[in-house]
Amino acid sequence: MEKKILIVEDNDVFRNYLYQVLKYDYDVTAVSTPLAALESLENHKFSLMITDLRMPGMDGRDLVIKVHKRLDANLMVIVITAFEDDWPVDDAMSSHVFRYLKKGAFMPSELRQNVDKALEMRDSMVMLDTYQRSSKADNGVYWDLFEHMADAFFVCDVHLRPIVLNKGFETLTGYGLDAFKAGTLVDLIDIEYRQPAKEVFDRLIKGLSPACPEIGIRHKDGSAIKVHVWAKFVNDVSGLSHAIIGVVHDVQKIPLAGEGMAGLPGKSGRGIPAFGDDFSRIVERVDDIVLLFDNNLVCRYVNARIKTILGYAPEEIINRAVAWKDIVCPEDYHLVTGFIGSIHRKKTQDRVYHADIRVRNLKGEHLSLSCHAFIGYNSKGDLAGVDVFAEDITQRVMAEERLKEANKKILELNTRLSKDVGKRIHKLRASESRYRQIVEGSGDVVFSVDKKGCLLFMNKKGRSVLGMDIADILGKPYLDFISGVHPNKAMDAAISMAVKGEEPLSFDSQVETTSGTRVFNSLLKKTGQGDEYICVSRDITKEVAKNKRLTLLANIEHYSADAIMGLDNDRNIISWNHGAAMMFGWREDEVLGKSAFIIIPDEARTEATGIMDRVKKEGFVRDMETKRKTRDGEILCVSLTLTAIRNKQGNAIGFSAMIRDITSQKKMEEALVQTERLAAAGKISASIAHEINNPLYGIKSCLNHVLNTKKMEIDTGFVRLAIKESDRIADLIRNMKTFYMPTEGRVITRDMNDLVKDLVVFNRKYLEENRVKLNVIKGDNTTVECVADQIKQVFLNLFTNAVEAMPNGGRLEIETKSEGSCVKVIFRDTGIGITDDDMDHIFDMFYSKKPKVKGVGIGLSVSYGIVNRHGGNIEVKSYDGNGTTFTVVLPVKTAWGRQMSLDLR
């Protein structure tokens, strides 16, 4: 197989890339311009040209067309371009180009595969051309016959313009070739026959059956002649790609039976006076066998050519009925019998008959004859005779057989390429496209390098990552794009392992990309195509960062001061961090596989089971306050966050628990609550003193009046008034005891209207002193389960804050209302409001905007904690300078009464 390849590419880098890829397996010449390519093609024989399209001086399309037209029509061409619009793929592939590749979109192995296929196709075309040349008949063999036959012969183009006319044609029509310089054969035809004749010739040109029309023509002298025309559409005649060759017979001069055959051997029965000696001279010189039969199909004349071709002497044939069965091969004998039967049935129809017939000569050798039979009828329409011209086409048939064999080999080659060597090519072509799409559409970077680490190919993803064109990448060292310390060691080690055939190991490298430094994990293998190594690199930047985060999270989880543990569905411990070990006193190995109930006090186990069932159903419980116990039996107050762990199907497979020790916080909170209570007690003491002092002053006045009256004149009205004021003091003391009597955290049912009423009774004086008008709006069904003294503490704090927010007086509205499963208690004031900056901090411990003498900043924080433990919430709406609304939302039924208790001991 010839492997001489010419590369035409003006880009130095890409030309060198193509040369490096192919130089190991082929004889490669690389030039930079189309003119240099033409010069190389004129001086050397190449099998394949690989060319770019867009080049200076002459584009690749013009170069290909010029080469195919002037130098080598069979030169295979592969186009590699980045500008497909310069020569549309369909147009290129259908005319001059074997393969069309896009720059940067193919791998070196793909290029070599296409080169191999192109060279195989070139060999096939050369083989076919050789067979075609060997099978062409020599057109000059029959020239003498053509020129001297009495019949009129012609050759014309598809427009019926004559190219060659023999003397017989000039004799018949009076016109030679010179007469048709500006005309066509149609000019000879009578007008009434022109349209039918044109239709017949159009059918002929379209490749349909040979034409045999009977038409009228005009002689040069003006006389009318009726002729029979036999014509055939052929290829490659007289330098034309297409032509028509035909024979014209004068119908009136066709020799008829009984007219005599003067001057010829076997004269009896058929004469040919119009031919005379000329006929004898011509038919004896021609290479065809000429046989003339009478109306009984007895041979009356045969030329000497029968001896040369079949071995029979003319005298063995003349005046005898030919024994066709002895001459014609059995498989073609039906053609003879069919013809003989048809000439009697069809009579005046089909005056010309043609068939290729296989015969045997006297030596038993098989020959092929192309037979043309011209049938003559007398004036009554009966058979007059048959003239047969038999051409020996054995060599031509053999050549055609060789050509068929060559074509068969080509088809077999193509079949192998589509099935074996051929099923494979078909598969390969389909897979090439598929693999190209896979490689180009891959989310990973795919590139190849030579053994020195220089880039030979990079896919679309790689070029996008680097932000570079393929021409800026090819041929450059891989290390140009790598950062970090000693980046070449990993690549060198990978190439070394690939050369030895060892199992490749992946390696990581840092690459400078358009989006900064990225980390890629690469796997390199040898392709089997020379010293080329393919490498697939995956961006693992996010994975590296994720692994770092996971490592950090694992360390945080392990060393967290809070207890973090994992439980399975059976509540057994499956993970236990350092914080859990420090908090509860058990090491991890001591608790793994054991029940989580080891850290739950006995009285809290029912509650714990309920919590887990709730979490399994709802997903999580957050910051729930409960009790847990240590290894030593110490009871801890803890904040528990419990989350259900689910699989992909959404089924719970376990729990994660985070436990924070809030024992110290709870003690501090209790102290803060006590402090707040003391502060509240101080605030109401003045109101209590005022409420008690008024009746005391009344009692004192009544008693003084009694002492100053005469004996036996005591005014009983004053005594009754004193008693009434004493009862009033008793009521005040009783109400005060009820309002602030500790409940020790017991959950009871109380009406929020009653709590608001008690609040107002003991703060009437406080409202008067601060010039605040009070409006109470009572709702229905406002009873809730609560720790009453804790809720009083919340209401007192909100009440006091509202009054203090109106230093110049104002209006306070307290409203109670029921909404579904909740009761709301709303405090609306017309005070100074809360700024946006302060709003985010109002529930923070020790955060206060009041003067130091008025508060320490724990009231709202404690209040929020109390309401939150009741399962409720405090909502706030405020506008700076336009008042504030606090809404306490409490559930009617408290689910976790136990955890709301505050130990006040």
Side-chain angles (χ1 to χ4, degrees), residues 208-281:
L208 301 177
S209 59
C212 301
E214 189 173 284
I215 60 175
I217 64 173
R218 288 285 173 179
H219 191 274
K220 187 175 182 180
D221 61 12
S223 61
I225 309 172
K226 199 167 186 181
V227 296
H228 184 279
V229 180
W230 178 88
K232 188 176 181 180
F233 186 68
V234 294
N235 297 322
D236 299 324
V237 174
S238 299
L240 294 178
S241 58
H242 303 293
I244 298 172
I245 187 168
V247 181
V248 182
H249 300 280
D250 184 347
V251 174
Q252 297 174 346
K253 292 185 178 181
I254 291 179
L256 301 177
E259 293 182 355
M261 301 177 64
L264 293 180
K267 295 179 182 179
S268 62
R270 190 174 181 204
I272 316 178
F275 295 165
D277 294 336
D278 287 338
F279 178 82
S280 300
R281 178 176 56 83

Side-chain angles (χ1 to χ4, degrees), residues 323-330 332-334 336 357-360:
W324 298 111
K325 201 165 188 178
D326 296 334
I327 299 174
V328 178
C329 292
D332 284 351
Y333 185 68
H334 68 282
V336 176
I357 300 175
R358 285 165 291 182
V359 299
R360 293 188 297 263

Side-chain angles (χ1 to χ4, degrees), residues 750-767:
R750 287 299 302 271
D751 191 337
M752 295 298 100
N753 287 331
D754 292 342
L755 292 186
V756 172
K757 177 183 176 183
D758 292 343
L759 177 68
V760 172
V761 168
F762 289 105
N763 285 281
R764 190 179 294 121
K765 178 67 174 177
Y766 184 58
L767 293 171

Side-chain angles (χ1 to χ4, degrees), residues 587-691:
R587 298 190 311 273
E588 184 177 17
D589 61 315
E590 293 178 314
V591 297
L592 291 182
K594 293 185 178 180
S595 172
F597 285 122
I598 65 172
I599 63 170
I600 300 175
D602 293 342
E603 64 274 13
R605 291 194 173 189
T606 302
E607 176 192 75
T609 302
I611 293 172
M612 286 191 173
D613 291 340
R614 177 184 169 192
V615 169
K616 196 169 184 179
K617 181 179 179 181
E618 300 179 3
F620 66 91
V621 166
R622 182 182 291 115
D623 297 330
M624 189 190 75
E625 294 180 7
T626 186
K627 304 288 186 180
R628 292 292 181 265
K629 72 176 181 180
T630 68
R631 185 172 191 169
D632 298 330
E634 180 185 356
I635 302 300
L636 302 178
C637 293
V638 299
S639 174
L640 171 66
T641 295
L642 193 64
T643 305
I645 301 174
R646 302 185 184 278
N647 58 21
K648 291 182 179 180
Q649 290 72 37
N651 301 320
I653 58 175
F655 305 88
S656 68
M658 180 177 288
I659 302 174
R660 184 162 47 89
D661 185 357
I662 59 171
T663 305
S664 299
Q665 177 185 331
K666 295 296 291 185
K667 289 180 180 179
M668 183 179 69
E669 185 178 321
E670 291 170 6
L672 290 174
V673 170
Q674 189 64 29
T675 301
E676 189 69 16
R677 284 182 174 178
L678 292 173
K683 290 179 182 178
I684 66 172
S685 62
S687 296
I688 294 173
H690 177 76
E691 294 295 333

Side-chain angles (χ1 to χ4, degrees), residues 696-715:
L696 283 176
Y697 285 137
I699 292 171
K700 184 177 180 180
S701 297
C702 289
L703 292 176
N704 283 334
H705 178 75
V706 171
L707 288 175
N708 291 329
T709 58
K710 294 179 181 181
K711 290 182 180 179
M712 303 303 291
E713 294 182 2
I714 296 174
D715 189 345

